[in-house]
Amino acid sequence: SFAFDLQEDIRLALGEESLPCLLYHYEQGLGIGQEVTCILAFETGKEPTGDRRLRIDDKYFGLGPIYIDIDDQQIAQQPMITN
């Protein structure tokens, strides 16, 4: 199903590296809206810098690969978990 198989179709590009999605959590909203939330995690091995590109290889809607560009400024504004 779309909700559970999508993890295998997601990759994160960091420069020349293409990282698989290691954690994928899907939540479907129960309210009036048709919202869904996906939480993704990737193992980078180091603190990434620079822009990132999320690639989703769509197999359900016939759209082909979907790219979402994430600039470094957006990441810097998000809360972080530290040791």
Side-chain angles (χ1 to χ4, degrees):
S1 84
F2 173 76
F4 300 104
D5 296 336
L6 187 61
Q7 179 175 355
E8 301 301 318
D9 301 328
I10 299 173
R11 298 196 69 82
L12 179 67
L14 288 172
E16 297 297 316
E17 284 188 271
S18 178
L19 306 171
C21 179
L22 297 181
L23 180 133
Y24 170 80
H25 177 74
Y26 176 90
E27 289 181 12
Q28 186 165 352
L30 299 175
I32 295 172
Q34 297 178 355
E35 299 169 354
V36 272
T37 300
C38 294
I39 299 171
L40 309 173
F42 302 87
E43 178 64 50
T44 62
K46 60 181 188 268
E47 182 64 32
T49 57
D51 297 343
R52 296 135 174 102
R53 176 174 260 197
L54 194 64
R55 177 185 170 133
I56 302 169
D57 291 321
D58 169 50
K59 296 176 184 166
Y60 297 94
F61 303 112
L63 300 173
I66 299 167
Y67 297 97
I68 301 170
D69 292 318
I70 306 164
D71 68 46
D72 206 27
Q73 292 292 335
Q74 290 173 308
I75 298 295
Q77 296 171 2
Q78 298 303 311
M80 297 276 188
I81 298 173
T82 59
N83 295 340

